[in-house]
Amino acid sequence: MQPFDLVIRGGTVATASDVMACDVGIRGGRIVALGEGLEGGARDIDAKGKLVLPGGVDTHCHIEQLSGFGLMNSDTFESATRAAAFGGTTTVIPFAAQHGGMDLKTVVADYHVLAEKGALIDYAFHMIIADPHEATIAAIPDLVAAGHGSIKVFMTYDKMRLHDEQLLDVLMAARQSGAMVCVHAENHGIITWMVNRLIERGYTAPKYHAVSHARLSEAEAFTRLIAFSELIDQPVMIFHVSTAEGVEVIRQARGRGVKVWGETCPQYLFFTADTLDKPGFDGGKWCFSPPARSVADQEALWHGLANGDLQTVSSDHAPYRFDETGKFFFSKEPNFKQIPNGVGGLQWRLPLLFNEMVSNRRMDVNAFVRLTATDAAKLYNLAPRKGSIAIGADADIAVWDPERQVTLSDDLGRDETGYNAYAGITVKGWPETVILRGDVIVENDHLKAKPGSGRFLPRGGGQAAKPTGRLAPEMDPARNFGAELY
Ligand code: URP
Ligand code: ZN
Ligand code: ZN
């Protein structure tokens, strides 16, 4: 019998900390050997001249999900995870999204059915809570125990947002269950007030989307959220950080020991608000929230990633077609507020980041692996099974050709978005062969996996979601007048 099912031979393996010339031996879907001159496998992949990296872990993507606007996005689990696989990603965390009046357990069960049928790569879920009434809060412990170790809430969007008291309720429930809380943090009042004034005065073009999401709305919401997080002593992950001021708020909080984590996305690293300023409605392709900002903000985000203020880069894949099923669903001639928010990115996240971080040498290959796979897996308690190349880990691997140049285009997209917001950008470095649990799922630009072959990854909140143990005086049961923490 061959000692290995698969050997990836002669490549350069990189993890978040090391770069080593070695073969990777895979058996039973797991990495079982790293070494020079491993014996033959039932199959060998020649990786000479290639980089052998962990498959990407994309921890924020909207798949087959009703948005805050009440519109289904353009991808199914099959099409979204197909695109992810072609882009070198092997694990996703999409959402099970509760809307007003919905029973949370039913919501989660429904999303499981969709994913079981369609997913081509492995997945977990964040539970979106938009209606935290008593029954919802009561359902949280069972759902976390069943492997849904993170919750997402919104501080804006009319139909999804939580008021401060509701947010505190969710933070407390998460603390009691050991779950991470991820937050879309923008000040709803500022945005609504700006939107109304702009539209009343006839400023309706897509470019006013960026004006309406005044950058201060981010720093304000972060500051308020962090105060809540400190009061309850519940760690939070702030999604899609877009401004320099936002990074600064996170940096200061982390500096005084608050357990706050930060994520940004390619759209904030590679676009500015100018992308919205196009003839007619074309800018609607770049209508996502928060909006892209300025070159100075991009630099602040890169700096935040380099020094650890921000720990991960996800896609926030939220695709809507540029037609009447998507961006024009609510109006043929929409004002900026009627354009569904979101952009596709599951397939492009890794090539864009590889190009900038590794090929253009902004950081290095270890940082690329850390920010796109290893720390993403650790933050959401998927490690050590996911996110690294290590003995015992799932054999989720992308073999990259660091020399291959590709100009991104609409046609390359394997999802159902129909356009590519990054079209025209040339990247150097491409994930050529993608492997999930030892099975080759993408090879020679062909898909080899079948819908439904992805597996659910049950997980609790893990280390990143653990409270610090430092109680705000008013929450300390020994000193307060009856407020209970547990
Ligand atoms: O514009 C975005 N980001 N759309 C997706 C929904 C969300 O999380 O904001
Ligand atoms: Zn969001
Ligand atoms: Zn999102």
Side-chain angles (χ1 to χ4, degrees), residues 60-62 65 95 128 152 154 157 184 239-240 263 265 267 289 314-318:
H60 177 177
C61 37
H62 303 264
Q65 186 212 307
F95 298 92
I128 289 181
K152 188 216 179 155
F154 291 86
Y157 291 133
H184 179 131
F239 271 174
H240 43 48
E263 165 210 272
C265 314
Q267 49 271 42
S289 291
S314 74
S315 67
D316 193 7
H317 180 81

Side-chain angles (χ1 to χ4, degrees), residues 122-406:
D122 290 354
Y123 56 92
F125 288 107
H126 305 293
M127 303 182 287
I128 289 181
I129 294 185
D131 192 356
H133 52 71
E134 230 172 279
T136 302
I137 297 290
I140 290 173
D142 282 354
L143 287 165
V144 175
H148 309 96
S150 51
I151 291 167
K152 188 216 179 155
V153 293
F154 291 86
M155 294 171 77
T156 187
Y157 291 133
D158 286 324
K159 293 192 179 138
M160 306 299 282
R161 76 179 177 120
L162 302 191
H163 296 278
D164 290 353
E165 297 85 336
Q166 295 174 313
L167 184 43
L168 288 163
D169 279 344
V170 171
L171 290 169
M172 182 65 95
R175 191 184 204 278
Q176 287 162 351
S177 300
M180 176 66 84
V181 178
C182 310
V183 186
H184 179 131
E186 293 185 278
N187 179 297
H188 187 70
I190 292 177
I191 296 168
T192 307
W193 189 81
M194 292 290 282
V195 166
N196 291 341
R197 277 177 81 86
L198 286 161
I199 290 177
E200 270 164 26
R201 287 162 175 73
Y203 300 107
T204 58
K207 67 179 175 185
Y208 295 107
H209 173 65
V211 181
S212 72
H213 286 246
R215 49 190 310 124
L216 279 169
S217 71
E218 185 165 282
E220 188 285 326
F222 289 14
T223 305
R224 186 159 35 106
L225 170 67
I226 288 168
F228 296 169
S229 158
E230 277 189 90
L231 178 69
I232 306 286
D233 187 24
Q234 165 60 39
V236 291
M237 161 62 76
I238 301 187
F239 271 174
H240 43 48
V241 178
S242 70
T243 60
E245 295 90 324
V247 180
E248 185 55 33
V249 170
I250 293 173
R251 177 181 304 130
Q252 286 187 11
R254 290 173 61 81
R256 63 175 188 275
V258 186
K259 221 164 156 189
V260 50
W261 309 100
E263 165 210 272
T264 192
C265 314
Q267 49 271 42
Y268 306 107
L269 296 168
F270 298 107
F271 295 143
T272 67
D274 289 349
T275 50
L276 287 158
D277 190 4
K278 299 246 172 4
F281 298 103
D282 277 10
K285 289 181 179 173
W286 290 269
C287 244
F288 45 80
S289 291
R293 309 287 183 176
S294 69
V295 171
D297 291 300
Q298 293 178 350
E299 286 306 313
L301 295 172
W302 282 116
H303 187 61
L305 290 168
N307 69 17
D309 301 326
L310 307 177
Q311 299 80 36
T312 189
V313 185
S314 74
S315 67
D316 193 7
H317 180 81
Y320 297 97
R321 294 180 69 80
F322 200 60
D323 62 24
E324 67 291 345
T325 67
K327 296 283 182 179
F328 297 93
F329 182 82
F330 294 105
S331 170
K332 283 196 177 106
E333 299 193 339
N335 65 43
F336 68 84
K337 190 60 184 171
Q338 294 167 321
I339 301 174
N341 284 194
V343 69
L346 262 170
Q347 189 175 345
W348 317 118
R349 177 184 74 121
L350 294 181
L352 286 162
L353 291 169
F354 185 98
N355 180 61
E356 184 60 17
M357 296 174 74
V358 185
S359 303
N360 292 346
R361 298 174 192 268
R362 188 185 270 273
M363 293 164 96
D364 60 22
V365 71
N366 305 116
F368 170 78
V369 169
R370 171 170 61 80
L371 290 166
T372 61
T374 312
D375 281 5
K378 284 185 185 164
L379 284 164
Y380 295 103
N381 202 22
L382 293 168
R385 184 169 170 194
K386 300 293 187 187
S388 192
I389 295 186
I391 305 294
D394 279 1
D396 295 353
I397 291 170
V399 181
W400 287 71
D401 180 348
E403 300 302 325
R404 182 164 162 194
Q405 297 205 27
V406 176

Side-chain angles (χ1 to χ4, degrees), residues 375-456:
D375 281 5
K378 284 185 185 164
L379 284 164
Y380 295 103
N381 202 22
L382 293 168
R385 184 169 170 194
K386 300 293 187 187
S388 192
I389 295 186
I391 305 294
D394 279 1
D396 295 353
I397 291 170
V399 181
W400 287 71
D401 180 348
E403 300 302 325
R404 182 164 162 194
Q405 297 205 27
V406 176
T407 299
L408 305 185
S409 64
D410 293 350
D411 293 346
L412 280 179
R414 306 285 182 152
D415 61 13
E416 296 294 335
T417 317
Y419 76 90
N420 177 356
Y422 301 94
I425 298 177
T426 298
V427 296
K428 187 172 163 205
W430 198 252
E432 284 202 325
T433 305
V434 182
I435 296 160
L436 174 72
R437 284 182 271 100
D439 291 331
V440 173
I441 60 170
V442 172
E443 192 173 36
N444 300 324
D445 296 322
H446 281 89
L447 184 69
K448 307 279 181 184
K450 296 247 179 325
S453 50
R455 285 190 197 152
F456 174 57

